[in-house]
């Protein structure tokens, strides 16, 4: 896992700033198992990685942490319905009357040996996802249709994708021929103790407040059988804590930062309000 | 909430006039709770805000008021089905035979530390909404796919979105992974006294007329169980008052400015006409 | 209602001829109520107007009449499925190797303080309609996404939209958040005497012929319960009268100009033919 | 109907050859009623005309005949799903590095006072059809969105559309607001004697052969209740006659030119073959 | 049928190589009836032709044969969903900073009097098909919307389309107004003796092997009632023969070149394998 | 099969690097039958080949092996929904103010006599697939619509497509007219002994570990009746082996590299975990 850290970062063809270069402070991350080791081994073995888990449970932070730890640049791409293959691989621009090629973020990442993170990859169109396939092979190639170039990924390059299996996309799912190209790590919300640590660290409240927010969150998650679309994320607890730390009363902070973002359903809102009164 | 007011407004890259610069008269706004404090705290804590509530209840006015109060520029974007990510982040134009980049309104807002208000955000396509995600993180970054630039939001930048949970969009809803990134403030129609104040102030009628319009409005809102798609907004009452203030008889002003805009259904029209006769 | 008539018409940016400039003969219009006064007051109060009513009942003529009466230029836009926001606000063109901006009709109207009439507005896409919203506010602003300019409507500008509530568009309707921005005037076919006047004036026939066409039209309208999609408009009566005035026999003129345009259904065609025989 | 024939044909802006200029031999047309007089009167009265009737019954020939008779140029546009408003009104082209405007066929026709014939107009998209509306008004204007020009139709201009009410387009129909703008002439297959004349004249066979083809056609038309999508057109009889006139035996000519084009259904093919054996 | 053979081939406007010029060896074709005479007569009479029949039964070869026989150039266009009218008629290109027009294959064919063959025409969009209509009229005109030119087809030009009535395209069918413009020749698989001749001639096997492949094919065609989507074409028999002629054992050659291309259904695959064992 | 190996590789028109040139080490491939001979014979006979079989069973490796063995360049194209005909045949680019043509990968392959491999061809749109048809004929032509050129495939050119009949694409399937143009080879997972060899060779584990992974895989494949969308591929076993070879414990390596990529279903995940405990 360390032999790649000393490799030079090769220069990208073209001016691209959208990369988080290695170095800087260690991104805060508390491991829940040996995901750090497995990711590092997959990186060393040249295997791409898929992160499965719910919204706001720390997948993005984990990738930032691993890029720091492996000393690799990080390229992040938020996927959506409209992300085209060209948005990933690059496009022709007109400069000085000439058509010049401009690398896209995936191409930049492949050339410089970066970690390339595609967030919520199921949101992308199939054609975008298929572009990733040759990069997951042994050969680690990125064929660029428009130029005919066959980019070989530099050492240290790794493809990472995330998705949330909890969404019920009848029409959107990863095809087996895509899924089976990735080592898949499961993520879930941290356990209560670890979540309280995070809320304290990131939200700026004391342990008592953090613990009580985590306890409240646990009770709200139990409402998922009653129609709650998704459980409250650690992110929401941190936001609530931040408002409390700046003087907003706890009940109101919970109302605006924890409850309202979860649902518009009056019955669920009332049930959660009761939970808040009972818990805080 | 005040420490940001003295920050200089950084220059945008390119010529963009679509910004309401700070200063000028205080936009008229009567608070219904402590929404001013919560919004200010969220702004200070770097948390984005979502405004939930029905049409015409004052969400837009509230944002204008807060931008004035926080002394920040305001960029407003009306969302619709066709709003592309490029409409937000920017696009290449041809100038003097060269392709030059032109910042979009979201990029301008991020660079100058403005409040960026996306009205009726559920109307936008998912790809547009996903572009907002990195700006809601701790890092407050706006990656621009087309140029590869990673814009860091200037201090004072804040993302604000509004939406109306009353609409029944089977196919259109905010995904949990989007919702859970925002502190959510609820809005509703003002109470009768406050609404009468607004109608007087903005419609130019005396208190008696304003009060009777508010009373009428309350009775019409009770018809929502009979098929009325949406309750009459404060905006409608103000329009009606303006016509009355210019000499249109009350019954006719109500007919054209309050009733006709609400529905085309003959039964509902008749029921509302009866209410008008009985109330005015 | 008269204080705006003396305002100068400000110069539009760019060459735009699609405007009916004020002046010329008074467009023929017979009022059915006090719609002239209400429209004038709404114009004076800066309130946008919606005209509701069936096909061919005189909505367009009314707007022409009001533009003449208020001495304002008139910009008319026929809405359709494919009308984009750019078609309204403007677009970039290439001139002399440069990208230059060209105002669209809505922008032209806003700059010169014209009356801007959007005919059959429900036909337009939501994104087009949403572009209108900021112009209906107190601030009367038109933000142009592509240039970042924020156009403030000149005095005298007024937005007018029309739509026909009789169509059953399951999928197409004005959203409440749009409807509630307009003062709404109802239109219907003129009463028999007024319609006969119009048919005489515009069709060039004598009162007897005009009266008998109006009587026939009334009987045909009674067939709407038997499947007739829409009642015959005054426009059809005028066309029929014109053919008669040029020597086509009444029965045949009715067949080609009144009956055939209404339906292809053999049963309805027969029923209407019987009505013609019985009436003329 | 003759006073327009002496009007000069005004020059079109730009190079457009797709016009059938007046003059030349009289296109062969046998009237079935007084459609020639009604069309001429509608032309004189400035009223647009709609031709309703089945495939291949002579609508196009009638328009050619009328253009010859009225001494007007003729512009024909075959409508289809993909015909855009720009295809009708014109578009910008790049010439010598400049964007120059090029009139579309509808604009050319309006400028030169031609008869503009839109064949199978229901096939066009609504946005294309809506573009026609202002040309059907009293004012006979063609607003060109892209340039802002308001073209006033030259004297002699007339809009003619055709459509086949027999098709069952659940989703495609002319809206009442379009239909009611046209004088509508009904067309049907010619009666037997007139059809035999046409088959002789255009197919090059003697009266006996022509009569027997017409008789066969009448019997086939009676099969429409058994699933035949559309009756055989006069056009098919002419094609069959042409093959016969060049030596193909009658039965085989009927098979390839009359029967096979009508249907692929084996049962219907057999039934029609029986009819051929019994008739010829 | 011979008087056109001496006509010069007129020069196409622009550089177009996609034409099979006349001359060369006679394409191998064994007639099954008098289709050669009927096609030649239709060509002489200026009538367009439609070829109906299943996949791989020789329609394309027949057109090549007729082009050779009539000494006309041949332009072939494979139709598909995405074939636009511009792909047929031509488009503007930028050359030396100017927009220059480039003829499409249909325009080239019309100018040079070629036979223009549109293969699987039902696959094309309606707008593409409608473009063909004016070329099937007496006037044989091709109006080019984009340039306004009205191209008159040169002598010898003939439109030929093919389609397979066996496909069950619920949504795709030729409209009667298109079908009735063509003389329609039916094609089917050749009879056993003729098919064996073809397999010998093109596959390079002896008569015994060819006969036994044809016999096998006949038995497989009988499985169409059991779910086989389409019968094996003569093309498949030729491929199988070619593998056999190069030493692949008959059973395996049948498996890969005759059976596997027909279906993926395990039951059908087993049934066909049994047939092979029983037949060869 | 060897006479083509000495043919020179003709130069492509334009700069295209996306080709795997012949030479280099033999790609590792263990044949399961005589697929090598059949492919070689089809290549010699000029017949295109279709590879049918599940994800990750070695189809791509087989093509690489055959290209090496036949000493031909290899062009690989991953098919997807958005792959246009232009992506295959080429497009016009602007260079030095001129429009210049740039060959696409299919054109390059045809010109240089390469093997052209279209992976997962059913994913492509029909229009893309139809472009392949003329290359599968005797004439081996590639008509390029945009330039009018008719490219004749160089000797040694061969079209190879793959698809997975296991997917249930109700709306996506190869049309018979496409299928029947290919010799079709069936692929399946290798037998246990051969699969263990592959896992050892590519995964870097000893025979015992490889054999136990293969045994586990066999048991998991038996779960397909319980809802498993697709069987674990040899690719997954290799990934698992690689993690094990780098020190990740077997159970955890199976969890992340074999089980998680297969499914998100909790019941299936539990069942597979039980299998792992019982097998390893």
């Amino acid at each position: 896992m360390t032999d790649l850290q000393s490799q030079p970062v090769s220069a990208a063809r073209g001016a691209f700033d959208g990369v988080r270069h290695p170095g800087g402070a260690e991104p805060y991350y508390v491991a829940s198992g040996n995901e750090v080791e497995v990711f590092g081994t997959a990186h060393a073995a040249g295997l791409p990685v898929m992160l499965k888990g719910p919204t706001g449970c720390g997948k993005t932070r984990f990738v930032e942490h691993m890029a720091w730890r492996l000393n690799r640049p990080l390229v992040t791409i938020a996927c959506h319905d409209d992300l085209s293959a060209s948005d990933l691989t690059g496009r022709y621009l007109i400069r000085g009357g000439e058509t010049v090629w401009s690398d896209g973020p995936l191409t930049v990442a492949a050339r410089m040996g970066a970690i390339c993170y595609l967030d919520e990859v199921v949101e992308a169109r199939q054609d975008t996802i298929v572009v990733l396939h040759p990069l997951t092979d042994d050969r680690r190639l990125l064929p660029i249709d428009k130029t005919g170039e066959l980019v070989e990924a530099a050492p240290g390059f790794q493809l990472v994708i995330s998705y949330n299996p909890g969404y019920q996309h009848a029409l959107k799912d990863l095809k087996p021929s895509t899924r089976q190209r990735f080592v898949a790590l499961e993520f879930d919300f941290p356990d209560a103790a670890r979540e309280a640590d995070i809320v304290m660290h990131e939200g700026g409240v004391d342990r008592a407040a953090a613990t009580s927010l985590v306890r409240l969150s646990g009770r709200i998650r139990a409402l998922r059988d009653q129609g709650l679309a998704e459980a409250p994320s650690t992110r929401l607890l941190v936001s609530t804590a931040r408002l409390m730390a700046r003087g907003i009363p706890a009940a109101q902070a919970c109302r605006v930062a924890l409850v309202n973002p979860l649902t518009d359903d009056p019955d669920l809102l009332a049930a959660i309000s009761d939970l808040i009164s009972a818990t805080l």
Side-chain angles (χ1 to χ4, degrees), chain A residues 20-181:
Chain A
R20 301 268 286 182
H21 290 287
E26 174 179 351
Y28 177 78
Y29 181 75
V30 187
S32 68
N34 64 345
E35 67 266 29
V36 170
E37 287 71 33
V38 174
F39 189 102
T41 305
H43 185 259
L47 295 172
V49 171
M50 174 198 302
L51 312 179
K52 305 201 308 189
T55 297
C57 71
K59 299 189 297 290
T60 298
R61 182 65 64 89
F62 173 65
V63 176
E64 291 173 15
H65 181 80
M66 289 309 301
W68 176 87
R69 185 178 277 266
L70 294 168
N71 201 28
R72 293 278 90 202
L74 175 61
V75 172
T76 298
I77 302 163
C79 295
H80 52 75
D81 254 8
D82 226 51
L83 190 78
S84 71
S86 291
D87 289 334
L88 291 183
T89 56
R91 55 170 49 84
Y92 283 108
L93 298 178
I94 300 186
R95 291 264 166 78
E98 294 293 300
T99 308
V100 298
W101 176 257
S102 168
D103 279 346
L106 181 64
T107 309
V108 167
R111 289 195 204 279
M112 62 163 49
I115 291 176
C116 186
Y117 177 49
L118 288 104
D119 195 16
E120 303 205 34
V121 77
V122 289
E123 298 297 328
R125 298 185 314 213
Q126 284 299 333
D127 71 307
T128 308
I129 292 175
V130 165
V131 163
L132 305 176
H133 283 193
L135 276 170
T136 63
D137 281 348
D138 269 11
R139 299 175 300 153
R140 293 165 46 106
L141 295 172
L142 174 61
I144 304 184
D145 283 1
K146 301 262 186 302
T147 64
E149 195 187 2
L150 203 63
V151 176
E152 200 163 336
F157 172 80
Q158 185 174 30
L159 205 55
V160 183
I161 64 177
S162 78
Y163 96 110
N164 181 346
Y167 284 144
Q168 305 295 336
H169 286 274
L171 291 170
K172 269 191 170 177
D173 209 354
L174 284 180
K175 294 193 306 178
S177 66
T178 299
R179 290 178 66 109
Q180 299 201 8
R181 293 164 182 276

